[in-house]
Amino acid sequence: MQNYAEAVKDFAERHATCLTVVFVAGVGVLAFRRWMAGGVCRSKARLEGKTVLITGANTGIGKETALDMAQRGARVILACRDMTKARIAADEIRQKSGNGNVVVKKLDLASLQSVRDLAKDVEKNEERLDILINNAGIMMCPKWKTEDGFEMQFGVNHLGHFLLTNCLLDLLKKSAPSRIVIVSSLAHERGQIHFDDINIDKDYTPQKSYRQSKLANVLFGKELATRLNGSGVTVYSLHPGVIRTELGRHLFNSFPMWKIMLAKVFMRLVKNPREGAQTTIYCAVDESLANSSGLYYSDCAPKKPAPQALDDAAAKKLWDLSASMVGLS
Ligand SMILES: NC(=O)c1ccc[n+]([C@@H]2O[C@H](COP(=O)([O-])OP(=O)(O)OC[C@H]3O[C@@H](n4cnc5c(N)ncnc54)[C@H](OP(=O)(O)O)[C@@H]3O)[C@@H](O)[C@H]2O)c1
Ligand SMILES: *[C@@H]1O[C@H](CO)[C@@H](O)[C@H](O)[C@H]1NC(C)=O
Ligand SMILES: *[C@@H]1O[C@H](CO)[C@@H](O)[C@H](O)[C@H]1NC(C)=O
């Protein structure tokens, strides 16, 4: 025992600098993790008798948001493109929350027909809709097109949700006070709307397209809030943080091995899906936001978005363009 303690002491003395570095780095990593984890939604709001619809709720932060809504007692509709994955997620959510009122509905945002079919189903079969959460997203995929010929990221992240939201507005108004939550991203800050080439047919890059679609999310939220002023339907857009989800699937595919390894280490340090869902949950239920609309949030607090996301004229122009693309009058 004596020898062991002496050996440890000896080791510590000889490697003092090294141990200090390891200790400081450890504390640094823990502090970074804590900072990364971000804000928490502290609202205890209950949602019995209310209905929440979440797009892309079979995985990632959408699934965590759906679980939270179910735990608060809501009827939760998971609107997903893959019904097998959606049913597995719904089973898990029912089991974890003890709330049996969790249902799945088919929605492929890359098809305007599918969006219209889902909206019709909801309008016909649901008595109310209190919270709509536009969460689904695709990031940095190759140059793909939706069923209707739109560039994939703009088509899914913005246009599909634009049409869905507009088709559900009557039900949302009928259920007022109600909320629309739009999951955008920090990526909007480096985005611009390419009005003269909205499908980015010239010089497509996955980044350019993702940033455009996420800027479109914030501009849509702003214009929608203006149009809904006084209706009792309020609108929120947000950045959820950097989160360990499946969102990087297309991006990481293109990486060389060493970059994949680095990305894997980095992903251990970022938010987990539960932490990543907090700002969405906050916008969906927090009582303090009842009279706010059209603003942007990050880490469960309001945040000023990039200047191009505050451009009224661009928001109106994007609305008109989107309406004509999806065939809304
Ligand atoms: N993770 C982050 O660090 C981060 C950062 C900023 C913003 N965000 C935003 O957070 C939101 C959620 O992303 P996540 O991180 O949770 O990603 P995720 O794990 O990849 O989940 C995305 C969800 O969207 C669904 N989806 C994709 N294309 C769809 C389509 N055409 N129709 C219907 N659903 C579709 C996916 O369904 P499948 O499973 O069938 O593919 C999945 O359920 C996205 O809007 C994203 O832009 C995430
Ligand atoms: C709604 O209208 C009121 C009064 O006209 C105004 O003060 C407020 O900023 C408007 N809100 C939005 C989100 O446009
Ligand atoms: C919202 O407005 C209503 C009506 O003016 C008021 O009664 C309520 O206290 C406000 N809530 C918040 C959180 O500001």
Side-chain angles (χ1 to χ4, degrees), residues 55-63 79-83 85-86 106-111 114-115 134-139 146 152 155-157 161 182-187 210 213-214 217 238-250 267 270-271 273 276 280:
T55 66
N58 57 279
T59 185
I61 60 177
K63 185 165 106 180
C80 305
R81 63 173 166 176
D82 183 324
M83 294 308 273
K85 288 191 203 170
K106 167 89 181 170
L107 168 68
D108 182 356
L109 288 156
S111 156
S114 172
V115 173
N134 293 339
N135 163 82
I138 180 167
M139 181 180 77
T146 68
M152 184 61 76
V156 169
N157 300 355
H161 283 124
I182 302 170
V183 182
S184 176
S185 169
L186 186 67
Y210 184 66
S213 75
K214 291 287 131 177
N217 287 158
L238 66 102
H239 167 60
V242 180
I243 313 135
R244 186 161 63 244
T245 65
E246 295 177 44
L247 194 67
R249 50 189 130 178
H250 306 298
M267 291 314 273
V270 301
K271 288 186 183 183
T280 304

Side-chain angles (χ1 to χ4, degrees), residues 20-279:
T20 307
V21 168
V22 168
F23 178 75
V24 170
V27 169
V29 166
L30 286 180
F32 179 75
R33 252 304 292 163
R34 231 198 134 124
W35 171 74
M36 256 292 171
V40 175
C41 175
R42 305 203 179 279
S43 168
K44 298 267 182 289
R46 299 292 307 172
L47 298 175
E48 275 88 9
K50 310 232 179 219
T51 300
V52 184
L53 186 147
I54 309 172
T55 66
N58 57 279
T59 185
I61 60 177
K63 185 165 106 180
E64 285 298 331
T65 306
L67 172 61
D68 182 277
M69 298 294 120
Q71 285 167 334
R72 290 174 192 271
R75 168 172 173 79
V76 183
I77 303 169
L78 315 184
C80 305
R81 63 173 166 176
D82 183 324
M83 294 308 273
T84 308
K85 288 191 203 170
R87 286 195 190 98
I88 294 170
D91 279 341
E92 187 187 323
I93 292 167
R94 277 191 291 262
Q95 200 193 1
K96 279 193 183 161
S97 65
N99 178 346
N101 203 357
V102 177
V103 298
V104 301
K105 287 187 193 287
K106 167 89 181 170
L107 168 68
D108 182 356
L109 288 156
S111 156
L112 295 182
Q113 189 57 54
S114 172
V115 173
R116 288 210 175 82
D117 290 346
L118 172 89
K120 218 172 280 161
D121 173 344
V122 172
E123 286 270 343
K124 186 162 157 256
N125 298 309
E126 298 295 326
E127 269 158 38
R128 51 188 307 122
L129 180 58
D130 300 275
I131 304 172
L132 168 65
I133 303 181
N134 293 339
N135 163 82
I138 180 167
M139 181 180 77
M140 299 193 200
C141 57
K143 191 174 178 181
W144 291 340
K145 293 272 156 109
T146 68
E147 190 179 287
D148 306 276
F150 308 136
E151 184 276 314
M152 184 61 76
Q153 299 183 74
F154 188 71
V156 169
N157 300 355
H158 171 61
L159 289 175
H161 283 124
F162 175 86
L163 179 61
L164 177 69
T165 307
N166 273 289
C167 291
L168 294 174
L169 275 187
D170 284 343
L171 191 57
L172 283 156
K173 284 181 190 163
K174 228 174 71 186
S175 315
S178 52
R179 300 190 187 193
I180 299 168
V181 180
I182 302 170
V183 182
S184 176
S185 169
L186 186 67
H188 87 270
E189 291 191 3
R190 293 176 67 193
Q192 66 181 96
I193 306 294
H194 303 268
F195 282 110
D196 53 349
D197 183 24
I198 200 70
N199 288 309
I200 318 197
D201 288 320
K202 287 176 262 154
D203 307 321
Y204 177 87
T205 72
Q207 287 82 353
K208 193 166 149 185
S209 152
Y210 184 66
R211 290 169 185 160
Q212 167 173 271
S213 75
K214 291 287 131 177
L215 174 59
N217 287 158
V218 186
L219 288 170
F220 172 45
K222 186 176 158 53
E223 177 65 15
L224 185 61
T226 306
R227 288 173 181 248
L228 289 173
N229 200 350
S231 68
V233 187
T234 48
V235 186
Y236 312 82
S237 69
L238 66 102
H239 167 60
V242 180
I243 313 135
R244 186 161 63 244
T245 65
E246 295 177 44
L247 194 67
R249 50 189 130 178
H250 306 298
L251 178 66
F252 296 154
N253 273 348
S254 67
F255 278 6
M257 199 56 199
W258 68 270
K259 255 188 163 178
I260 294 177
M261 301 302 282
L262 267 187
K264 282 203 166 142
V265 172
F266 177 70
M267 291 314 273
R268 299 314 304 173
L269 299 175
V270 301
K271 288 186 183 183
N272 63 37
R274 215 170 84 83
E275 292 163 344
Q278 295 304 309
T279 304

Side-chain angles (χ1 to χ4, degrees), residues 292-314:
S292 309
S293 191
L295 301 182
Y296 173 76
Y297 298 81
S298 176
D299 277 332
C300 298
K303 190 183 173 195
K304 202 166 175 228
Q308 68 272 31
L310 292 168
D311 182 338
D312 283 320

